[in-house]
Amino acid sequence: MEEARNAPYIDREDRISRLQDELIHYIMSFIDTKLAVQTCVLSKRWIHIWKSLPFLNFNRNSFSNEKIHKFVMFVDMVFLCRNDIDIQKFMIRWDNSVYDDSVIVHVNRWSLIAAVKHNVQEIMIRITHCRNLAYEIPYHLLNSKSLRKLEMQVFRSTRFVNMILPRSMNLPQLKLLSFTGVSISNVEASKRLFSSCPVRETLRLVDCDVQTDNQKNLIVDSLSLREFEYSHRRNYLLRDNDILVNVIKLCTPNLDVFTCKSFFTHDYSLEISSPLSRVNFDMKLKAKKEDENVETYSNLPSTDKEVYAKRMLQILRAVYLVKGMRLLSPGFFEVLSRAPDSLDCQPPRLCNLKYLTLEMGCTRSCLRAIAYLLKISPHVTQLLLKNKESNLADVGDGWEAGLSSPGMLSHLELVGIMEVEGCDNELKFLSFLLKNVTTLRTVVLYPRSPVASPDRVRKQFLDRLRAFPRASSSIIMHWAAANSTHPI
């Protein structure tokens, strides 16, 4: 019996070694290059296979802090000993570089070897705790004819790292450009950089200070761009009275996706000249999102609430042609609802919006703001909500007063609510939808956890839900279990 169970392993056949080099290279692409090189001791088959790796992934943490020179020697050895074939992807991660004065010199040298001698297609550089005030990118890296992706993450504890660019740049094959933690103080240089990528499809600026004119505006003018992300989550990088961009202007007729992660305190405007398939907004007050809750926004001064609400409405007006929207910020609705005068002042109209995803808190003000958002988005067909906060005060009666209207949500067919607790606030919001939506076909509820909604609580919740009047006669409701859904 024991022999039968172990029969497949009796011959001890090394099936991995029989794989083609391309498959072994693909497997090795998921591990550190140091481990890939160490496979040379396995057998004669493996002695040289690492030398033709098209994926190089170097991590400074694979060597102890006191062995900086050994890490440098190892990377040099890999480049020296590998076969003269092209490199598909070169990745270098150098953490805690505050202890390494020569980090940028070495990283630039290696990236140049990859770009010039091995026609590298993708480069990803990550340097943390950088002590350098400036990072000068070598000419050949930004004039590579083979490079398709360039990602640079450079983190300094208190300030942006100033990126110094060459006088001329030409990246004819570059599809993705991503910068994190840097500033480009030379306006003309930043304009040259963006114009040097004629086929760029993705642009990401994360915690960066980049402008393209002297009025501190960021103008992205591109026929090829399809995805743009602007994120700023580290306000401490700014000195007193410093500001980021005043205007983000996208002259991008083929743009599909725009993502913005920022602070309510960051005052800027959006100008988008063409329809978008999807926008993602993630706004907050503090650097650590987990520190924010309903009380955080309730305690804001009334003047701040008014200012932030007007900024949110301005953002919605800029994306009025969008088809899909994700608002990943319960504070967005708390702020929006706390300035009632702003809601009636030239409300935006999101007539193209069909798919809406929201992170919410089941408070009175948040539910009113969501209902208002649905009111100005009459063509939404799918609504997905995620409840982010539990054990909130009851919203009371009449919270929806003035928010419903004839023909409201005349296209909504599917509603999904995640993290359902089974509380009264959720029931009141569901009642609002059931009463006002004549086209609703499916409602799916995903419980927060069995502990948060035991069988008794769930049964009471579902019994009350079934008793609500419905504007639509053909609604199918489901309660989602771990791996399946059950009709309600």
Side-chain angles (χ1 to χ4, degrees):
M1 199 67 167
E2 185 69 23
E3 290 182 2
R5 186 165 56 247
N6 294 330
Y9 307 99
I10 290 177
D11 58 5
R12 298 185 180 275
E13 180 183 3
D14 182 3
R15 297 181 181 179
I16 295 181
S17 294
R18 294 174 56 187
L19 295 175
Q20 296 179 348
D21 284 4
E22 291 77 9
L23 288 175
I24 296 178
H25 288 160
Y26 178 74
I27 295 171
M28 287 183 172
S29 70
F30 296 98
I31 63 175
D32 188 278
T33 300
K34 180 182 179 182
L35 296 177
V37 172
Q38 289 173 343
T39 62
C40 69
V41 302
L42 296 178
S43 68
K44 291 182 179 180
R45 169 75 172 91
W46 294 82
I47 291 177
H48 301 293
I49 197 167
W50 65 270
K51 296 180 181 180
S52 55
L53 265 177
F55 310 96
L56 298 181
N57 181 9
F58 299 107
N59 192 332
R60 171 67 183 81
N61 290 335
S62 62
F63 290 77
S64 60
N65 286 335
E66 63 274 10
K67 294 183 178 180
I68 298 172
H69 64 290
K70 289 196 173 183
F71 173 67
V72 173
M73 290 175 60
F74 171 74
V75 179
D76 286 340
M77 181 274 297
V78 170
F79 276 112
L80 182 64
C81 296
R82 72 185 310 275
N83 297 334
D84 188 20
I85 63 171
D86 290 348
I87 296 174
Q88 182 174 330
K89 181 184 292 186
F90 168 67
M91 301 175 61
I92 178 76
R93 177 167 179 164
W94 199 315
D95 292 331
N96 295 319
S97 64
V98 67
Y99 304 110
D100 307 334
D101 293 331
S102 59
V103 54
I104 290 180
V105 173
H106 291 305
V107 169
N108 277 353
R109 178 166 57 85
W110 296 326
S111 61
L112 275 178
I113 294 173
V116 175
K117 292 187 176 182
H118 299 286
N119 299 311
V120 67
Q121 295 183 30
E122 302 177 24
I123 290 181
M124 193 277 185
I125 298 170
R126 177 185 169 92
I127 301 173
T128 66
H129 299 93
C130 183
R131 67 187 299 173
N132 300 72
L133 296 174
Y135 192 146
E136 184 172 0
I137 302 183
Y139 171 88
H140 289 92
L141 183 58
L142 293 184
N143 285 273
S144 169
K145 291 181 171 58
S146 62
L147 195 61
R148 296 176 180 272
K149 293 184 180 180
L150 176 60
E151 300 181 63
M152 300 191 68
Q153 302 177 10
V154 188
F155 298 96
R156 195 166 183 268
S157 58
T158 57
R159 289 290 295 162
F160 297 108
V161 176
N162 187 33
M163 183 171 291
I164 302 174
L165 304 175
R167 293 187 61 84
S168 63
M169 292 166 276
N170 183 27
L171 297 163
Q173 299 295 324
L174 194 74
K175 299 282 188 179
L176 182 148
L177 180 62
S178 176
F179 290 131
T180 300
V182 305
S183 69
I184 302 178
S185 56
N186 187 306
V187 169
E188 293 302 317
S190 62
K191 292 168 66 175
R192 289 198 305 271
L193 173 63
F194 292 147
S195 63
S196 70
C197 316
V199 297
R200 182 190 59 232
E201 296 178 353
T202 301
L203 174 62
R204 300 187 188 123
L205 300 176
V206 180
D207 289 325
C208 290
D209 183 19
V210 179
Q211 292 110 31
T212 55
D213 66 18
N214 293 322
Q215 283 72 48
K216 285 190 173 290
N217 298 323
L218 175 60
I219 302 172
V220 181
D221 190 347
S222 172
L223 291 174
S224 60
L225 195 66
R226 302 187 67 84
E227 182 175 350
F228 175 55
E229 177 180 342
Y230 175 82
S231 300
H232 185 71
R233 288 299 175 81
R234 299 193 292 167
N235 266 348
Y236 58 84
L237 291 175
L238 296 174
R239 293 195 182 101
D240 293 340
N241 300 320
D242 276 2
I243 61 172
L244 295 171
V245 295
N246 289 318
V247 177
I248 299 175
K249 185 175 182 179
L250 303 180
C251 305
T252 50
N254 294 305
L255 191 68
D256 283 333
V257 181
F258 173 59
T259 298
C260 182
K261 301 177 182 179
S262 187
F263 294 96
F264 291 112
T265 53
H266 184 183
D267 186 14
Y268 61 94
S269 61
L270 295 177
E271 295 182 14
I272 303 176
S273 58
S274 58
L276 299 175
S277 295
R278 187 173 78 249
V279 294
N280 308 302
F281 290 113
D282 190 352
M283 315 296 289
K284 59 182 184 177
L285 284 172
K286 301 180 179 180
K288 293 184 178 181
K289 191 172 181 179
E290 58 269 20
D291 292 340
E292 299 186 11
N293 52 35
V294 171
E295 186 177 359
T296 304
Y297 293 92
S298 300
N299 294 334
L300 284 173
S302 58
T303 53
D304 288 349
K305 297 172 188 175
E306 182 77 20
V307 168
Y308 298 158
K310 289 181 178 179
R311 289 177 185 171
M312 296 306 98
L313 288 176
Q314 188 178 22
I315 287 176
L316 292 180
R317 291 190 189 98
V319 297
Y320 71 99
L321 294 174
V322 71
K323 294 180 181 178
M325 181 183 297
R326 299 173 74 229
L327 294 174
L328 307 179
S329 172
F332 188 103
F333 304 105
E334 293 290 338
V335 165
L336 192 63
S337 68
R338 295 181 183 279
D341 293 338
S342 297
L343 299 183
D344 298 326
C345 178
Q346 297 179 348
R349 193 76 172 168
L350 305 175
C351 292
N352 285 4
L353 191 62
K354 292 185 177 181
Y355 313 105
L356 185 58
T357 300
L358 310 173
E359 287 189 358
M360 56 178 281
C362 276
T363 65
R364 183 184 182 92
S365 55
C366 189
L367 293 186
R368 281 188 61 82
I370 292 175
Y372 167 78
L373 183 60
L374 295 175
K375 186 177 180 179
I376 64 174
S377 311
H379 296 103
V380 169
T381 61
Q382 296 183 19
L383 173 65
L384 178 62
L385 304 173
K386 185 174 183 180
N387 191 5
K388 294 295 289 182
E389 200 165 343
S390 59
N391 301 318
L392 297 172
D394 184 74
V395 299
D397 297 324
W399 66 269
E400 76 280 20
L403 294 174
S404 59
S405 61
M408 180 182 179
L409 296 173
S410 57
H411 294 76
L412 185 60
E413 298 179 357
L414 171 66
V415 173
I417 304 181
M418 305 179 69
E419 305 291 333
V420 172
E421 289 186 298
C423 64
D424 287 345
N425 293 355
E426 293 163 342
L427 282 170
K428 289 174 181 178
F429 185 68
L430 285 168
S431 173
F432 171 80
L433 293 177
L434 295 174
K435 182 172 62 176
N436 287 283
V437 185
T438 60
T439 55
L440 195 57
R441 298 289 178 265
T442 306
V443 176
V444 185
L445 306 177
Y446 302 86
R448 187 181 295 274
S449 69
V451 176
S453 54
D455 291 341
R456 177 181 55 80
V457 174
R458 186 185 71 175
K459 184 178 184 305
Q460 292 176 352
F461 180 84
L462 299 181
D463 287 343
R464 293 176 63 186
L465 184 59
R466 293 188 189 99
F468 288 147
R470 307 178 185 184
S472 172
S473 59
S474 57
I475 300 178
I476 299 176
M477 293 192 286
H478 296 274
W479 183 270
N483 299 308
S484 61
T485 59
H486 305 290
I488 296 176

